[in-house]
Amino acid sequence: MDFTPSEEQLAARGLAARIFGDLSTHERLTAAGTGTDAELWKELCAAGLPAAVEDIGLLGLVLLLEEQGRTTAQVPFAATCVYGLLAVAEHGTPEQCERLLPGLRDGTAVATGAFPARGRVHIAEDGALYGAVPWVPWLRDATHVLVADTDLALWIVEASAPGAEARAAGVTVEPVETTAPWSAGRLVLDGVRGERLGNGPEAYAAVLATARTAFAGLQAGVCAGSLARAVHHTITREQFGRPLSTNQGVLLRAADAHMDTEAIRVTAYEAAWRHDARRACEAQALTAAWWASEAGKRVVHAGQHLHGGTGADLDHPVHRHFLWGRQLDAYLGCGSEVLEELGLLLAGRTQGDAS
């Protein structure tokens, strides 16, 4: 395994770091509230970063999402790339790729996914989709939603902004506020016609593994950003005439958070590398998701605790990392859920080898 980024991946990461660092500031995030920073999204698309994902692969996307996570930038980058660009590029027909990918590349189309499937959407005998999904990230921005029916077949559903037009088309989008400001919404399908993508459960499993890997990369960035803020705070804040960072308890807590962050990062890198190398990566994606959940919440809690009383301020930038970390902890399966999945997967392989 070699996780060394290519020149293209390094260039894309550097560009992403500059754009996120310049535009995703505390002041802009405060002004955006719980919505999307539309200007930042336009800047990312104008720079060609969504389109670059097809060339730099899932590992490259993980690198870009780390930079987004460091600043908790409120844009539908991960969702559009995972449930739109990569899903269509890998599982779509040539006609679907030709029709859908241009808009996803330039940002005029925004995709999201109703993942993981919970058996809430079913297909009727006439081929129409019915059901409701309690919340879908970035749904309020989406033009396309990737949903899975009870048989785990994937369907692309066109979505509109919340309102009468969406309801008339058989799609209702109701705004929902989540722990992190992800422009989420409740999705209701009432006889809408979807467009089939891929070959059923196999495509669903592949997209879910890709999503878990990508969002683990996002969590690595969220944790790195939280830890960086904590380090700066403990270095510059003094107690009894010396920096807080010289306190052994602070050092040990920060060291543990650093090791957890690195574990999230390296497991996400491995899953992404295997995906790009066309190797089996389901177990690695589950491993990355487990670390993102279990270690992620430890790190963002440590980030707040190391800020002392300041960390209790809901308006402090570190609190935003805490909210994102807790949202990512549960998204696509919390630690106990993905650990159970991983155990069943490994047990199934062992039984298969024994037979």
Side-chain angles (χ1 to χ4, degrees), residues 18-321:
R18 180 178 63 78
I19 294 175
F20 285 127
D22 290 346
L23 298 182
S24 186
T25 62
H26 177 59
E27 293 72 23
R28 285 177 63 97
L29 289 168
T30 301
T34 60
T36 297
D37 188 336
E39 292 303 315
L40 175 56
W41 178 240
K42 290 179 182 178
E43 187 71 22
L44 290 169
C45 295
L49 286 176
V53 171
E54 291 179 81
D55 296 322
I56 62 177
L58 183 55
L59 180 55
L61 175 60
V62 166
L63 296 174
L64 301 185
L65 292 178
E66 278 192 78
E67 301 305 326
Q68 179 185 0
R70 289 179 197 276
T71 60
T72 60
Q74 293 171 199
V75 288
F77 191 31
T80 293
C81 291
V82 168
Y83 302 122
L85 276 162
L86 293 180
V88 173
E90 294 179 7
H91 305 288
T93 65
E95 187 277 331
Q96 286 175 321
C97 292
E98 183 178 359
R99 174 166 46 87
L100 297 173
L101 288 179
L104 294 167
R105 290 170 183 144
D106 63 22
T108 55
V110 174
T112 188
F115 276 64
R118 304 289 189 187
R120 296 187 174 100
V121 176
H122 66 275
I123 185 167
E125 293 182 0
D126 62 355
L129 295 169
Y130 293 85
V133 182
W135 76 277
V136 179
W138 307 109
L139 184 60
R140 282 178 268 167
D141 300 325
T143 57
H144 298 81
V145 186
L146 191 62
V147 300
D149 62 24
T150 51
D151 295 323
L152 299 185
L154 292 179
W155 302 88
I156 301 173
V157 175
E158 291 190 10
S160 305
E165 181 181 351
R167 289 194 293 271
V171 179
T172 303
V173 175
E174 302 169 355
V176 172
E177 296 302 335
T178 52
T179 301
W182 283 7
S183 294
R186 180 173 183 265
L187 177 67
V188 180
L189 305 176
D190 186 16
V192 68
R193 298 282 176 172
E195 180 179 354
R196 184 71 177 267
L197 181 72
N199 55 355
E202 184 177 338
Y204 168 78
V207 173
L208 181 57
T210 298
R212 281 172 164 159
T213 302
F215 281 94
L218 184 61
Q219 181 75 303
V222 169
C223 291
S226 175
L227 183 58
R229 292 187 181 279
V231 168
H232 179 266
H233 176 81
T234 56
I235 288 175
T236 57
R237 191 69 174 264
E238 291 190 357
Q239 187 179 54
F240 306 121
R242 62 178 187 175
L244 289 171
S245 60
T246 60
N247 189 313
Q248 187 179 38
V250 171
L251 289 170
L252 292 175
R253 190 74 184 276
D256 286 342
H258 172 72
M259 294 301 294
D260 273 337
T261 301
E262 288 301 302
I264 300 169
R265 177 181 288 118
V266 74
T267 52
Y269 283 6
E270 181 184 4
W273 177 84
R274 291 184 67 90
H275 171 277
D276 293 342
R278 298 294 184 266
R279 300 188 181 190
C281 60
E282 186 178 359
Q284 287 74 20
L286 285 166
T287 302
W290 183 84
W291 276 103
S293 175
E294 294 294 313
K297 61 187 174 188
R298 287 198 297 266
V299 174
V300 295
H301 273 270
Q304 276 206 307
H305 291 166
L306 288 173
H307 277 77
T310 306
D313 183 358
L314 301 185
D315 295 323
H316 193 280
V318 76
H319 185 66
R320 191 174 290 109
H321 290 270

